[in-house]
Amino acid sequence: MKYFSTRDKELKLSASEAILQGLSKDGGLFVPENFPKVTNKDIQMLTKKTYQEKASYILGLFLTDYTKEELDRVTSVYTKERFETDNIAPVYKLNSRTYFLELWHGPTCAFKDMALQALPHLLTYAAKKSGSGHEVVILTATSGDTGKAALEGFKDVEGTKIIVFYPEKGVSEIQKLQMVTQQGKNVGVCAVFGNFDDAQTGVKKIFTDLEYNKELNSKGYMLSSANSINFGRLAPQIVYYFSAYCDMLANEEISIGEQVNIVVPTGNFGNILAAYYAKLMGLPIARLICASNQNNVLTDFIQTGIYNKNRMFFTTASPSMDILISSNLERLLFNISGNDTSRTKLWMSELAENGKYQVPDITEKKIKELFWGGYCSDLDTALTIKDTFDAYNYVLDPHTAVGKNVYDQYLTETDDQTKTIIASTASPFKFAKFVSEAIGIDVKNKSEFEILQELSDVSSMRIPKPLQELNSLDIRFSCTKSKEELKSYVNEILS
Ligand SMILES: *Cc1c(COP(=O)(O)O)cnc(C)c1O
């Protein structure tokens, strides 16, 4: 299977080449030339397999230039030791039609671990296959969870370095502490003045600076991205939608072929795109429900066909969704427009120049058939956490609560009784202060760690070990740069 850019179909790459490059040189994103099909029979076969085996199977359909042995090594990261559960991504049944797919049992307590534990191994194999001998340098802009998950995935992985930039405004206290205390010999962490888009713009500029890239190559380095624009991030995310469906089949919650809805709290559009890709492959998915916080650019886009990022930016209680440019949407547009590179290029250049674009009616109609979009405020996020806790004794993190709230709106509007899986993207302990306040715990004058303890007492959930440990780690990184200065930090780390 070959991959090409959403902006140029001529240049075809293998999967490992696409993963190694991350972002195409023309600024486009790599997409597979077609989607492998999975039948109901295949799904029934997968139901009997472990998570690792399911992952090797699904990855094998896309990453055809990796050997079975290599993929088995890649998916061997999905262990009970790393994910604190045999299921890796367990499905929690809330009521007769609502299920949470818990994607936060990994080492950093958020769903990004699902892909970022596997990606370093996909990348190091890719580097070996390329034969260039270059050391892989991962550059990442993060709105919080990516950074830590990437750092954990790459730390001390031979032949790699990792540098993470996070927005000075817009990550939680715990998220920041997780990053600035990062261990490992091959890591760098630096804050960027501004918000996530500033950090992402700064990093994108380095990737598209051809001269600088040449200079790095001559020094034996090659830049790559661990952002959700890398296809090596997307592919492992497709796996858990199959795994959730299989688990529901095995528990006789659904019968084979029965359609389910998927709700995804969305930021960069990576997680929900993976669900869409699963649908294209044949997983019986009815509606994809795209949930946003106050930064509701995607809600407006789904409802009107107009993408417009010229608007107020809000720092919210669900910071990993505080995004005005959802990069992975480009892949959806490309697919929905029938692999039309010139259209995709046009929309993206309008976005870059004017901050907005409008898709034609036919595209808008297609998007509306597949997706339903909604958003909610921080206040409603808190109320959803409280209501869910009161009714079910189940604690949601703010991102997942946005998903639940938007799903409730969807039910009110459509009365659709289809069984529905809500992607649960972070442990509530990662956002303990907001969650505790929402369910009525008095947080005044309490330290982050006292709050963790109290939340644990009230909810009878165990504090995840990686969060508990933060208390005792030293701060290793304390720099802040403007988005124009990121290159100098890269040079600092590489020298
Ligand atoms: C990254 C993240 C999201 C958004 O996922 P995208 O793939 O960027 O849409 C949602 N919730 C949490 C907790 C995250 O870390």
Side-chain angles (χ1 to χ4, degrees):
M1 161 117 47
K2 291 289 183 186
Y3 291 76
F4 45 64
S5 162
T6 46
R7 302 185 195 180
D8 180 5
K9 270 188 284 201
E10 296 311 308
L11 201 79
K12 291 196 177 177
L13 302 184
S14 70
S16 67
E17 287 165 340
I19 288 172
L20 196 57
Q21 259 189 51
L23 184 70
S24 173
K25 288 196 177 79
D26 58 11
L29 310 188
F30 291 117
V31 284
E33 60 185 347
N34 56 52
F35 285 87
K37 291 288 176 273
V38 173
T39 63
N40 284 343
K41 217 168 150 201
D42 296 330
I43 293 171
Q44 276 169 322
M45 174 277 292
L46 284 175
T47 300
K48 300 184 190 78
K49 307 273 187 196
T50 64
Y51 192 91
Q52 291 92 319
E53 289 165 336
K54 290 186 189 94
S56 289
Y57 178 83
I58 299 289
L59 291 183
L61 298 175
F62 283 101
L63 312 180
T64 50
D65 66 331
Y66 287 76
T67 65
K68 171 93 174 69
E69 288 68 36
E70 287 169 341
L71 290 178
D72 285 344
R73 168 66 189 97
V74 170
T75 62
S76 71
V77 298
Y78 297 114
T79 59
K80 184 167 185 185
E81 289 66 48
R82 286 176 194 235
F83 287 82
E84 296 190 56
T85 146
D86 283 322
N87 286 39
I88 309 300
V91 174
Y92 177 91
K93 181 175 183 178
L94 190 77
N95 59 36
S96 60
R97 67 167 171 240
T98 315
Y99 302 78
F100 286 101
L101 171 57
E102 295 181 348
L103 301 172
W104 43 261
H105 291 276
T108 74
C109 313
F111 97 92
K112 307 269 189 317
D113 290 326
M114 299 303 301
L116 279 165
Q117 285 291 307
L119 182 68
H121 304 287
L122 289 174
L123 261 175
T124 46
Y125 282 127
K128 269 189 206 133
K129 286 175 200 295
S130 81
S132 73
H134 284 151
E135 182 160 359
V136 179
V137 179
I138 302 296
L139 279 195
T140 285
T142 180
S143 58
D145 293 321
T146 306
K148 180 61 183 179
L151 288 161
E152 275 302 309
F154 282 93
K155 85 171 171 203
D156 296 330
V157 171
E158 202 139 323
T160 70
K161 283 201 164 51
I162 170 149
I163 302 170
V164 169
F165 295 103
Y166 67 92
E168 172 217 24
K169 291 197 192 98
V171 300
S172 79
E173 239 352 89
I174 296 254
Q175 285 178 320
K176 183 172 164 184
L177 204 54
Q178 281 185 309
M179 286 187 277
V180 297
T181 57
Q182 179 64 42
Q183 311 283 295
K185 289 192 281 290
N186 59 340
V187 305
V189 174
C190 182
V192 181
F193 291 114
N195 60 37
F196 171 71
D197 288 329
D198 293 308
Q200 176 149 285
T201 306
V203 167
K204 269 200 168 172
K205 216 171 254 166
I206 298 181
F207 275 112
T208 47
D209 184 339
L210 296 183
E211 204 139 304
Y212 183 59
N213 277 265
K214 257 187 220 148
E215 185 188 320
L216 288 178
N217 288 163
S218 72
K219 291 179 181 159
Y221 296 116
M222 144 156 220
L223 291 185
S224 191
S225 150
N227 265 19
S228 62
I229 50 176
N230 191 310
F231 191 78
R233 278 280 299 281
L234 269 178
Q237 294 182 353
I238 298 169
V239 175
Y240 47 71
Y241 292 110
F242 279 92
S243 140
Y245 193 90
C246 288
D247 286 355
M248 286 172 69
L249 261 184
N251 293 333
E252 298 179 357
E253 301 290 342
I254 50 174
S255 47
I256 186 71
E258 182 174 342
Q259 295 220 320
V260 296
N261 292 327
I262 309 260
V263 182
V264 185
T266 302
N268 220 4
F269 210 77
N271 202 3
I272 194 166
L273 184 79
Y276 174 66
Y277 279 5
K279 179 177 164 77
L280 290 179
M281 293 168 73
L283 191 67
I285 294 173
R287 220 60 185 298
L288 292 156
I289 297 161
C290 176
S292 301
N293 62 26
Q294 194 88 47
N295 296 297
N296 55 357
V297 130
L298 287 168
T299 313
D300 288 348
F301 176 65
I302 291 167
Q303 285 172 5
T304 66
I306 300 171
Y307 194 99
N308 187 353
K309 76 163 187 96
N310 304 312
R311 60 177 71 210
M312 268 263 283
F313 176 85
F314 298 96
T315 298
T316 74
S318 42
S320 298
M321 297 155 67
D322 289 348
I323 288 174
L324 293 181
I325 301 179
S326 298
S327 306
N328 269 302
L329 188 64
E330 180 170 344
R331 286 186 164 112
L332 177 75
L333 293 173
F334 174 79
N335 183 270
I336 280 189
S337 65
N339 293 2
D340 188 334
T341 48
S342 46
R343 280 245 165 147
T344 308
K345 208 150 94 185
L346 189 70
W347 290 325
M348 291 305 124
S349 68
E350 284 176 16
L351 181 65
E353 275 156 38
N354 314 318
K356 65 185 278 194
Y357 59 86
Q358 176 164 17
V359 298
D361 289 348
I362 177 165
T363 312
E364 187 194 336
K365 198 164 149 262
K366 269 190 199 156
I367 291 172
K368 275 211 185 95
E369 277 162 16
L370 293 159
F371 292 86
W372 194 90
Y375 75 100
C376 80
S377 67
D378 279 359
L379 181 62
D380 286 335
T381 304
L383 287 173
T384 302
I385 293 171
K386 178 164 176 31
D387 291 348
T388 307
F389 181 66
D390 289 349
Y392 301 100
N393 208 29
Y394 184 68
V395 186
L396 303 175
D397 98 286
H399 303 77
T400 310
V402 169
K404 172 75 164 61
N405 182 287
V406 169
Y407 174 55
D408 291 342
Q409 295 178 40
Y410 172 78
L411 279 181
T412 305
E413 190 180 299
T414 63
D415 198 30
D416 179 359
Q417 296 300 311
T418 307
K419 297 216 165 94
T420 297
I421 299 168
I422 303 175
S424 175
T425 53
S427 157
F429 287 97
K430 211 160 175 182
F431 304 91
K433 191 165 174 221
F434 184 85
V435 170
S436 300
E437 275 187 301
I439 63 176
I441 295 171
D442 180 13
V443 298
K444 240 178 277 144
N445 302 323
K446 287 190 184 130
S447 75
E448 288 280 347
F449 295 96
E450 287 165 339
I451 296 171
L452 284 181
Q453 192 53 55
E454 190 130 355
L455 180 58
S456 170
D457 295 343
V458 170
S459 67
S460 0
M461 286 170 79
R462 201 169 34 80
I463 304 175
K465 215 158 115 224
L467 296 181
Q468 184 113 55
E469 282 169 358
L470 278 180
N471 212 352
S472 54
L473 296 176
D474 291 332
I475 302 218
R476 285 184 68 199
F477 301 99
S478 54
C479 86
T480 309
K481 305 252 184 214
S482 75
K483 68 178 167 192
E484 288 79 22
E485 292 177 324
L486 304 190
K487 232 195 271 189
S488 72
Y489 186 74
V490 174
N491 289 335
E492 214 173 286
I493 292 292
L494 297 185
S495 66

